[in-house]
Amino acid sequence: LTTIGSMKFSQVLSCLALTFGAFSAVALRNGLYMIAPKPSGFANTKEGKTVILDRTKKLLDETAFLISFPNKGVTKEAVDILRKELPKGIKASVVKNALMRKASEGTPFSNIGENLKQENMFLFVPEGQAKPTFDAYKKWQKEVKRTDPEFDLKCVVMENTVYSGKSIEAVVNLPTKADLITKIALGIKAVPTKIGLGIKAVPNKLGRAFGALKTKLEEEAGANVV
């Protein structure tokens, strides 16, 4: 075997690059999301791009809200803090803009392509988790001191509608589908109850009316007796 001492510096670098690339490939295949400010060498290869593209498509299939925010200047330590803050089940990943455009084609998120500029990190949010994710991001901003407007969320995409600026907070606060279904079910349940109460009240009112009429007739009849 060739020892490191007898190897040229360039050969050592080549070996390290191959080892790191192999590790990245295994990590990506096993769903370990390589969230880092800079992509690995493997991510720039044809095989790496294919793996990332397929993984992103799968994530989009399970997503109700796609959120993007500026990734420039995000350190590994900041990413680790974000992972801890995000609700369970939320996936965060750095995806090149070209790959995200391709992955989102034919999906409810294809319109995000118009808003992809500079480096972005994406949050893949399932149904019912938009508000907790938004709150976690705002908390993270304060913790890592990225509260300037330039570090705010870029956009949220839902059903091919892109929301940005102040409209982001409005859309993440919308009732979830589960909330709406519950409200509708309660509303439907309340309708027959109200109708039943109304129907039940009718004979009661009629009974009181007939009773009053009977009493009046009896009084009048008694008054006519000599």
Side-chain angles (χ1 to χ4, degrees):
L1 294 175
T2 303
T3 62
I4 293 179
S6 63
M7 294 172 65
K8 293 182 179 179
F9 182 68
S10 59
Q11 292 175 317
V12 174
L13 289 179
S14 297
C15 288
L16 289 173
L18 288 172
T19 302
F20 184 73
F23 172 77
S24 298
V26 173
L28 285 169
R29 291 192 190 99
N30 288 303
L32 300 176
Y33 302 107
M34 305 297 289
I35 306 177
K38 295 294 181 182
S40 68
F42 174 75
N44 290 321
T45 66
K46 185 176 180 180
E47 182 185 0
K49 289 178 181 179
T50 301
V51 171
I52 294 171
L53 182 63
D54 292 342
R55 183 197 70 194
T56 304
K57 287 181 177 180
K58 184 178 179 181
L59 286 173
L60 289 174
D61 287 340
E62 303 166 351
T63 296
F65 294 83
L66 179 61
I67 299 175
S68 72
F69 64 91
N71 181 55
K72 185 177 181 180
V74 178
T75 64
K76 182 183 181 303
E77 290 74 16
V79 170
D80 290 339
I81 295 172
L82 178 61
R83 283 174 173 168
K84 293 176 183 178
E85 293 291 350
L86 289 174
K88 186 178 179 180
I90 306 301
K91 300 294 190 302
S93 182
V94 175
V95 182
K96 285 191 172 182
N97 294 337
L99 287 176
M100 178 55 77
R101 287 191 187 95
K102 191 171 183 62
S104 64
E105 288 178 358
T107 74
F109 310 101
S110 59
N111 283 349
I112 196 173
E114 304 169 2
N115 296 269
L116 294 177
K117 297 176 182 178
Q118 301 178 335
E119 295 179 13
N120 297 285
M121 187 178 287
F122 299 92
L123 301 178
F124 300 83
V125 185
E127 174 65 32
Q129 292 296 317
K131 181 65 164 58
T133 301
F134 177 79
D135 291 342
Y137 181 81
K138 301 300 287 185
K139 182 179 178 181
W140 173 75
Q141 278 188 294
K142 293 179 181 178
E143 286 190 32
V144 297
K145 296 179 173 56
R146 286 173 65 90
T147 54
D148 293 339
E150 62 182 300
F151 300 125
D152 285 344
L153 295 179
K154 286 187 175 181
C155 67
V156 173
V157 186
M158 178 184 69
E159 297 179 354
N160 255 335
T161 301
V162 181
Y163 301 89
S164 59
K166 293 182 179 179
S167 63
I168 290 178
E169 188 165 0
V171 74
V172 299
N173 280 292
L174 288 173
T176 65
K177 289 181 180 179
D179 291 337
L180 290 174
I181 291 172
T182 300
K183 288 180 180 179
I184 292 171
L186 291 173
I188 293 174
K189 185 178 179 181
V191 170
T193 301
K194 290 179 179 179
I195 292 175
L197 290 172
I199 293 173
K200 186 178 179 181
V202 171
N204 289 339
K205 290 179 180 179
L206 289 174
R208 287 195 296 272
F210 283 122
L213 178 60
K214 180 182 177 183
T215 301
K216 184 178 181 182
L217 290 174
E218 288 175 348
E219 290 176 350
E220 291 179 353
N224 292 327
V225 174
V226 179

